[in-house]
Amino acid sequence: MKRAAKYMGWLKYINPKRYVKILDWYIIKKFIGTYFYAIALIISISIVFDINENLAKFTQYHAPLKAIVFDYYVNFVPYFANLFSPLFVFIAVIFFTSKLAGNSEIISMLAAGVSMRRLMRPYMISAALISALTFYLGSYVIPKGTVIRQNFETLYKNKKKNTAAENVQMQVGKGVIAYIQFYDNNRKKGYGFCLDKFENKKVVSHMTATEIQYDTISDSKFHWQVINWRIRDMRGMREKITNGDILDTLVMMEPTDLVFSKGQQETFTSPQLRDYISKQIDRGSSNVVQYEVEYHKRIASSFASFILTTIGLSLSSRKRKGGMGMYLGIGLALSFAYIMLQTVSATFAIQSDTPAILAAWIPNIVFGIIAWFCYRKAPN
């Protein structure tokens, strides 16, 4: 009986009804409803402008209506909605909180003894829900849709993807260096291939091949076929040379390791990004900064909901003359400033030696200070 009573006591503390009251549900419904309304409104306008801009290209390249709707716009909407989620959060908070303040509802709450800290609870719960949704979509759902959207743009908007690479050299294993003079990703074929194996900083094996072909139908990864190959095995003063026409072999690299196209990091889910970054660092590649920035930005962007919600509530929780126009303007300006700072900080990491994690979190740090200042001044 004591154990059951203790168990029931724990359930009492974790019961959501203990923390989410009628007032909280009222504000949460207002917040979430206005957030999705803002998304629907602004994205609808964006789609109209996008159709107007690309209609000529869709017609020129004979894009099927089904592909336009399901391959392009079905993936266009969540991508841009998630990209501008901080803007929608800020607009939602400013809009409905200003209406609450204009209707004297917030004054009534404060007069009833509700503190500013208590008033923040439903806002933070709503921000947590949006933050979790933003992170899940950005990390697992949208990257898969981005692949489909980019393939559509390549076919019907003439956005050419990088499909070739020259003079690629990378470490594909411990003491194993691969080199490809030219690689064609469309054919999954490379020319001028070399593979060197080192032991104690000395070359012990040197393979050359005129061509190397990736095996796309193999059940496992890293299967390659080398054509017109020659291997020199060097052990001390002895040297053994073997050659042949075709040889199936394992080389620890894939086509995605050889060709880097613009926006490629957006097509990886977060687990894929993490594995790719780890693999490229082990290989000694320096072309991973944009991938690191993308990985950390997805985490940092999800926390923007809490920061911008705090700023929005602090700015619009008082009833003032002139309505909400000025605060909507401030909200838009701050939201665009946040998005612009994200872009600028990412450039710092790519173009200079700024750590990727710091570059991704700079906007949150700056706007976190602004949010703290606004929250401190809000009761006054």
Side-chain angles (χ1 to χ4, degrees):
M1 291 295 292
K2 289 182 178 180
R3 182 175 295 180
K6 186 178 181 180
Y7 180 70
M8 293 300 294
W10 278 107
L11 287 179
K12 177 183 176 182
Y13 281 102
I14 64 175
N15 186 0
K17 292 183 178 180
R18 177 182 173 88
Y19 305 100
V20 183
K21 306 297 184 183
I22 295 176
L23 174 64
D24 300 316
W25 282 118
Y26 176 71
I27 293 176
I28 289 170
K29 289 176 182 177
K30 289 276 188 181
F31 192 156
I32 301 297
T34 309
Y35 172 76
F36 284 107
Y37 176 78
I39 289 177
L41 181 63
I42 296 176
I43 291 297
S44 298
I45 296 171
S46 301
I47 290 174
V48 171
F49 279 103
D50 191 79
I51 291 174
N52 183 60
E53 181 182 350
N54 293 306
L55 187 59
K57 287 185 177 180
F58 292 158
T59 305
Q60 179 184 353
Y61 293 102
H62 307 289
L65 179 61
K66 182 179 179 181
I68 293 173
V69 174
F70 293 101
D71 291 350
Y72 185 65
Y73 283 110
V74 165
N75 295 302
F76 171 94
V77 171
Y79 175 79
F80 283 96
N82 212 55
L83 179 65
F84 293 104
S85 182
L87 171 64
F88 300 135
V89 168
F90 217 162
I91 289 175
V93 172
I94 292 284
F95 186 80
F96 89 86
T97 305
S98 296
K99 288 192 69 175
L100 292 179
N103 295 334
S104 301
E105 292 180 72
I106 291 184
I107 293 175
S108 301
M109 296 175 196
L110 298 174
V114 176
S115 65
M116 189 68 180
R117 183 177 178 181
R118 175 64 183 84
L119 185 61
M120 287 283 291
R121 183 188 295 176
Y123 284 86
M124 290 297 103
I125 293 173
S126 302
L129 295 173
I130 293 172
S131 177
L133 178 64
T134 301
F135 177 75
Y136 178 74
L137 289 176
S139 298
Y140 299 97
V141 178
I142 292 175
K144 297 175 182 178
T146 301
V147 175
I148 300 172
R149 181 173 57 84
Q150 288 184 354
N151 290 336
F152 175 91
E153 291 175 343
T154 302
L155 289 172
Y156 302 114
K157 291 180 67 178
N158 199 28
K159 284 194 173 182
K160 294 182 179 179
K161 296 172 72 175
N162 184 24
T163 59
E166 294 182 354
N167 299 320
V168 179
Q169 182 173 326
M170 66 174 64
Q171 181 173 304
V172 296
K174 187 176 181 181
V176 182
I177 306 296
Y179 171 80
I180 299 179
Q181 186 176 9
F182 179 81
Y183 178 75
D184 182 359
N185 195 48
N186 289 330
R187 301 173 63 191
K188 300 292 187 289
K189 178 178 283 191
Y191 303 90
F193 174 71
C194 294
L195 188 70
D196 293 317
K197 296 181 181 179
F198 293 83
E199 289 183 4
N200 298 323
K201 299 182 180 180
K202 293 182 180 180
V203 179
V204 296
S205 177
H206 176 69
M207 170 190 277
T208 58
T210 56
E211 297 178 11
I212 181 170
Q213 177 72 54
Y214 186 67
D215 188 352
T216 57
I217 61 173
S218 175
D219 294 333
S220 56
K221 298 187 293 184
F222 312 124
H223 280 257
W224 294 83
Q225 190 178 74
V226 291
I227 302 167
N228 295 328
W229 57 274
R230 185 169 182 259
I231 300 176
R232 293 173 58 197
D233 288 316
M234 292 161 278
R235 299 292 175 179
M237 299 299 293
R238 296 181 180 180
E239 183 174 317
K240 180 183 178 182
I241 299 177
T242 54
N243 55 62
D245 295 328
I246 298 175
L247 176 67
D248 292 324
T249 186
L250 288 175
V251 183
M252 304 297 285
M253 63 181 184
E254 296 178 89
T256 54
D257 302 327
L258 303 173
V259 178
F260 303 97
S261 58
K262 185 178 179 181
Q264 181 177 324
Q265 67 274 17
E266 296 176 355
T267 64
F268 292 163
T269 64
S270 288
Q272 289 173 337
L273 264 179
R274 186 172 58 247
D275 294 340
Y276 181 85
I277 291 167
S278 177
K279 184 169 64 175
Q280 292 301 104
I281 290 175
D282 290 341
R283 289 175 172 173
S285 174
S286 59
N287 193 27
V288 295
V289 178
Q290 61 266 43
Y291 296 88
E292 291 178 319
V293 171
E294 177 68 20
Y295 178 77
H296 292 295
K297 188 173 75 173
R298 291 176 183 178
I299 301 172
S301 296
S302 63
F303 282 90
S305 300
F306 297 100
I307 297 170
L308 298 179
T309 296
T310 303
I311 297 174
L313 174 60
S314 302
L315 289 176
S316 57
S317 59
R318 288 290 182 263
K319 184 177 182 179
R320 296 179 175 89
K321 293 181 180 180
M324 68 179 74
M326 183 179 71
Y327 299 104
L328 277 174
I330 294 172
L332 287 170
L334 287 173
S335 298
F336 281 117
Y338 178 87
I339 294 168
M340 185 180 70
L341 188 56
Q342 272 189 325
T343 304
V344 172
S345 62
T347 304
F348 285 157
I350 295 170
Q351 301 294 336
S352 63
D353 295 330
T354 306
I357 187 170
L358 177 60
W361 280 88
I362 282 175
N364 282 1
I365 294 171
V366 172
F367 279 80
I369 295 171
I370 296 173
W372 178 83
F373 178 79
C374 291
Y375 176 73
R376 296 279 294 180
K377 293 293 183 180
N380 301 322

